[in-house]
């Protein structure tokens, strides 16, 4: 889906809380680089319950919306049309206004994780299993990205194995062999991390901190957190010589696809990456 490229156009990130979002840095940098001087991008506080009414009330000048927690499932349900991958993972972080005035949903979070994997040189995971921390909303796109990178075996590490059901069902759908591992299996996690192609953490920094020592031997880590940074887990892996990509890398790569969907133009990747660097110094 492509949006109009001239005149005054609006986009925003929806979520609750949303004040911390770095998406405006990336999108506004892209619009400036593309010469879209009349385009705006803002933060709008929005819950799952308020999303339908809010989006339905936007006029035709609104071309796209980035959606963060806790409204990603609501965005999927609200959309008039949905990509296959968004439907499969049950999550939409992107709503794009179509030429007919409808809303089209996608999940570019998958692109975000895949971009982070590429950054770490983990674009081909067919030769080694992966480790995935968490089974929540971010874990499903992460599993889809691991599958796209060739991972055939994934150990899903969760505090409560009973909550991994949705992720296990997705793995079955994708054809990925999953082993559910509890947080308490420290010796097993140490061995899995050392032999994994990559560890991907989708849990809060504090939740992963208790596993930092066990997972420190991972050769590569993708950590979805970007504030605070580095997380204890990221620091532990880096201290042992592993390579790490954080949440800002994921955010950047998912935003490339959003900008292209909103504007109909190739994302100005260098300008967007510079915007992240400028705001982290």
């Amino acid at each position: 889906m492509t949006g109009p490229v001239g005149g005054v156009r609006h986009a925003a990130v929806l979520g609750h809380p949303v004040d911390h979002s770095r998406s405006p840095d990336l999108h506004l940098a892209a619009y400036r680089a593309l010469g879209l001087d009349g385009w705006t991008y803002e933060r709008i506080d929005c819950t799952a319950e308020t999303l339908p009414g809010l989006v339905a009330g936007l006029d035709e000048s609104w071309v796209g919306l980035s959606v963060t927690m806790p409204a990603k499932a609501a965005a999927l349900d609200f959309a008039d049309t949905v990509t296959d991958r968004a439907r499969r993972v049950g999550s939409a972080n992107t709503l794009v206004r179509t030429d007919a005035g409808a809303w089209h949903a996608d999940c570019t979070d998958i692109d975000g994780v895949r971009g982070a994997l590429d950054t770490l040189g983990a674009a081909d995971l067919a030769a080694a299993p992966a480790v995935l921390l968490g089974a929540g909303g971010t874990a499903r796109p992460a599993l889809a990205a691991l599958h796209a990178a060739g991972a055939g075996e994934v150990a899903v590490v969760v505090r409560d194995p009973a909550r991994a059901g949705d992720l296990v069902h997705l793995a079955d759908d994708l054809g990925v062999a999953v082993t559910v591992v509890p947080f308490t299996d420290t010796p097993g996690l140490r061995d899995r991390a050392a032999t994994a192609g990559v560890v991907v953490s989708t849990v809060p920094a504090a939740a992963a901190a208790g596993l930092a020592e066990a997972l420190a031997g991972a050769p590569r880590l993708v950590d979805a957190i970007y504030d605070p940074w580095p997380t204890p887990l990221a620091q532990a892996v880096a201290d042992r010589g592993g390579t790490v990509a954080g949440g800002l890398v994921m955010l950047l790569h998912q935003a490339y696809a959003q900008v292209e969907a909103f504007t109909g133009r190739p994302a100005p990747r260098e300008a967007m990456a510079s915007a992240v660097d400028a705001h982290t110094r």
Side-chain angles (χ1 to χ4, degrees), residues 67-131:
V67 184
T68 187
M69 298 302 292
K72 294 183 181 183
L76 186 74
D77 292 339
F78 173 82
D80 300 290
T81 57
V82 179
T83 61
D84 289 340
R85 65 178 185 172
R87 183 179 292 105
R88 175 171 272 181
V89 302
S91 177
N93 75 321
T94 306
L95 289 172
V96 185
R97 178 87 74 175
T98 70
D99 293 339
W103 288 97
H104 181 68
D106 192 16
C107 183
T108 71
D109 284 331
I110 298 170
D111 301 318
V113 179
R114 188 67 190 273
L117 294 173
D118 290 346
T119 298
L120 295 178
D124 185 357
L125 296 172
V131 175

Side-chain angles (χ1 to χ4, degrees), residues 39-84:
W39 285 51
T40 69
Y41 188 99
E42 59 188 280
R43 300 178 181 89
I44 300 176
D45 193 88
C46 175
T47 65
E49 292 74 23
T50 60
L51 181 141
L54 189 155
V55 179
L58 299 177
D59 65 32
E60 293 293 329
S61 67
W62 287 82
V63 296
L65 299 164
S66 309
V67 184
T68 187
M69 298 302 292
K72 294 183 181 183
L76 186 74
D77 292 339
F78 173 82
D80 300 290
T81 57
V82 179
T83 61
D84 289 340

Side-chain angles (χ1 to χ4, degrees), residues 143-155:
L143 180 62
L146 289 168
H147 169 258
E153 298 180 30
V154 178

Side-chain angles (χ1 to χ4, degrees), residues 21-36:
S21 175
R22 299 290 301 278
S23 291
D25 299 334
L26 301 175
H27 282 260
L28 290 173
Y31 303 159
R32 287 193 297 268
L34 293 171
L36 302 175

Side-chain angles (χ1 to χ4, degrees), residues 212-235:
E213 182 179 350
L215 298 175
R220 304 179 186 92
L221 169 70
V222 174
D223 194 326
I225 302 299
Y226 63 77
D227 186 18
W229 188 260
T231 64
L233 176 57
Q235 190 65 61

